[in-house]
């Protein structure tokens, strides 16, 4: 971390409050390849609340992060990252998803790579709808400790606990890193062959076996992919700032290996990162989430250079 960089503590509406604390030139919407859409929506959290504070914590952490990527040897921010003003939140999930879809569609139609920053996992449905309209045969890879595959939960079909079920109704769904689900969810997911459990990753011995398992995940995806990352996919020892932590999760390098493999072998058309609920006194979770986004954009930018 640089010690000279000034922390930016302005309000959401300040022009400087954008991902990476980028200059106006590097964050103008017209010239940015990447558009970040913060959605501090939280309505159906069932355990520890706070994911509505995730977007602001991650963006603030990102303003203290090095913008040179030491793995990729370039500065992904040179492609431009525009941070949209956080969406106004309404309680009604149907209305919230409509708003997300409208804003995401505007940017997708302008050729931007849209990244949604939640908030609770329900928001992913909004960007998936926008991408589905633009790309037929969309596959969605969800990295999550929870299957979230219930038909409805506590009478709410738009609960975070149903998000992958809703996505599977319209897209080819692949779940990875799961370690918490009901028997009914396990039975239906087994039948559709779309689930990779965290214990499968934990059981691999060495890089060759790990690579083979990741290849099986990639093979299940069609040519166009949206990636949805619920940060609770990570082991709680490295990512404690989540509403419902589950032991036995994935590690930093494993998630990067999977993202790198998917991005180099498929056309990734969208991304979201959700469910970070900051913990007072801990800053590594939001730094990790900011770096994860930045690294993923780096993979995407490198990969699209190579493909053209
Ligand atoms: Mn989850």
């Amino acid at each position: 971390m640089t010690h000279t960089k000034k922390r930016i503590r302005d309000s959401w509406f300040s022009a400087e409050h954008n991902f990476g604390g980028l200059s106006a030139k590097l964050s103008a919407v017209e010239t940015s390849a990447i558009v970040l859409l913060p959605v501090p929506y939280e309505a159906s959290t069932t355990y520890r609340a706070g994911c509505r504070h995730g977007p602001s914590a991650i963006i603030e952490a990102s303003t203290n992060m090095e913008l040179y990527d030491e793995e990729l040897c370039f500065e992904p921010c040179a492609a431009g990252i525009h941070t949209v003003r956080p969406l106004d939140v309404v309680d009604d999930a149907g209305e919230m998803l409509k708003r997300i879809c409208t804003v995401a569609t505007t940017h997708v139609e302008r050729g931007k790579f849209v990244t949604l920053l939640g908030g609770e996992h329900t928001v992913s449905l909004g960007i998936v709808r926008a991408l589905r309209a633009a790309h037929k045969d969309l596959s969605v890879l969800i990295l999550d400790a929870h299957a979230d595959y219930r038909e409805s939960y506590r009478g709410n079909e738009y609960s975070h606990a149903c998000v992958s079920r809703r996505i599977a109704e319209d897209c080819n769904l692949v779940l990875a890193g799961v370690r918490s689900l009901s028997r009914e969810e396990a039975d239906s997911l087994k039948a559709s062959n779309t689930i990779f459990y965290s214990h499968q990753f934990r059981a691999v011995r060495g890089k060759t076996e790990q690579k083979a398992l990741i290849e099986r995940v990639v093979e299940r995806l069609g040519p166009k992919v949206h990636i949805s990352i619920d940060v609770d996919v990570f082991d709680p020892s490295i990512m404690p700032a989540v509403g419902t932590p589950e032991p036995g999760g994935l590690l930093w390098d494993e998630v990067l290996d999977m993202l790198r493999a998917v991005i180099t072998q498929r056309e990734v058309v969208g991304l979201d990162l959700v469910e970070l609920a900051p913990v007072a006194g801990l800053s590594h979770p939001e730094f990790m989430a900011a770096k994860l986004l930045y690294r993923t954009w780096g993979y995407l930018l490198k990969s699209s250079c190579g493909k053209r």
Side-chain angles (χ1 to χ4, degrees):
M1 186 175 86
T2 61
H3 296 282
T4 48
K5 200 182 279 179
K6 179 178 145 286
R7 282 179 85 91
I8 296 167
R9 295 190 175 277
D10 297 321
S11 77
W12 270 116
F13 313 112
S14 151
E16 294 83 28
H17 201 147
N18 58 51
F19 191 94
L22 300 175
S23 66
K25 191 171 163 246
L26 286 176
S27 58
V29 66
E30 296 79 16
T31 49
S32 290
I34 291 155
V35 165
L36 183 66
L37 179 56
V39 185
Y41 173 78
E42 177 170 33
S44 67
T45 304
T46 40
Y47 191 53
R48 193 177 70 83
C51 68
R52 65 188 176 281
H53 303 299
S56 58
I58 294 166
I59 291 171
E60 176 155 345
S62 75
T63 67
N64 292 277
M65 186 181 76
E66 285 291 0
L67 296 170
Y68 174 73
D69 189 304
E70 83 291 350
E71 178 187 317
L72 298 169
C73 304
F74 83 124
E75 291 177 318
C77 63
I81 301 165
H82 174 72
T83 306
V84 178
R85 199 191 116 165
L87 250 61
D88 290 331
V89 164
V90 283
D91 275 348
D92 181 68
E95 173 59 24
M96 194 66 239
L97 293 176
K98 222 180 273 177
R99 288 185 186 191
I100 296 166
C101 184
T102 304
V103 179
T105 300
T106 310
H107 293 289
V108 168
E109 285 176 352
R110 294 165 89 182
K112 308 295 183 187
F113 182 84
V114 180
T115 301
L116 185 144
L117 189 54
E120 70 171 54
H121 209 159
T122 306
V123 298
S124 304
L125 268 170
I127 185 173
V128 166
R129 283 179 186 170
L131 291 167
R132 209 187 61 218
H135 306 279
K136 63 178 175 88
D137 297 334
L138 184 70
S139 290
V140 178
L141 171 62
I142 299 182
L143 306 185
D144 197 329
H146 310 92
D148 293 339
Y149 201 71
R150 286 179 155 86
E151 183 50 46
S152 91
Y153 191 61
R154 297 184 179 173
N156 177 8
E157 60 175 344
Y158 288 126
S159 163
H160 67 280
C162 310
V163 63
S164 63
R165 183 68 167 249
R166 295 287 89 76
I167 287 174
E169 286 165 356
D170 299 308
C171 303
N172 169 34
L173 170 79
V174 179
L175 280 166
V178 175
R179 51 201 188 274
S180 170
L181 75 174
S182 67
R183 184 169 51 80
E184 291 78 10
E185 288 173 293
D187 289 345
S188 9
L189 286 161
K190 192 177 178 189
S192 60
N193 186 29
T194 55
I195 187 160
F196 293 85
Y197 289 100
S198 198
H199 64 75
Q200 293 176 267
F201 288 88
R202 296 274 52 85
V204 299
R205 297 278 170 263
K207 277 280 175 189
T208 312
E209 275 187 39
Q210 191 217 48
K211 203 170 169 226
L213 181 57
I214 289 176
E215 285 309 309
R216 284 173 54 204
V217 174
V218 177
E219 279 165 17
R220 284 282 297 108
L221 296 164
K224 298 204 176 191
V225 179
H226 171 78
I227 301 175
S228 175
I229 304 171
D230 179 333
V231 293
D232 67 28
V233 74
F234 288 106
D235 192 78
S237 62
I238 56 169
M239 178 48 81
V242 296
T244 322
E246 297 288 343
L250 301 191
L251 302 176
W252 173 250
D253 292 329
E254 289 172 326
V255 169
L256 290 188
D257 287 344
M258 182 145 44
L259 293 173
R260 203 186 302 106
V262 173
I263 290 168
T264 50
Q265 297 180 61
R266 295 290 186 270
E267 185 187 352
V268 173
V269 294
L271 174 69
D272 68 69
L273 185 144
V274 297
E275 296 281 351
L276 186 132
V279 176
L282 283 187
S283 55
H284 73 271
E286 39 265 39
F287 270 88
M288 186 170 143
K291 184 137 185 174
L292 183 67
L293 281 179
Y294 198 62
R295 175 65 48 82
T296 307
W297 292 328
Y299 291 152
L300 283 159
L301 292 163
K302 280 258 162 158
S303 159
S304 63
C305 286
K307 280 173 188 163
R308 270 173 206 146

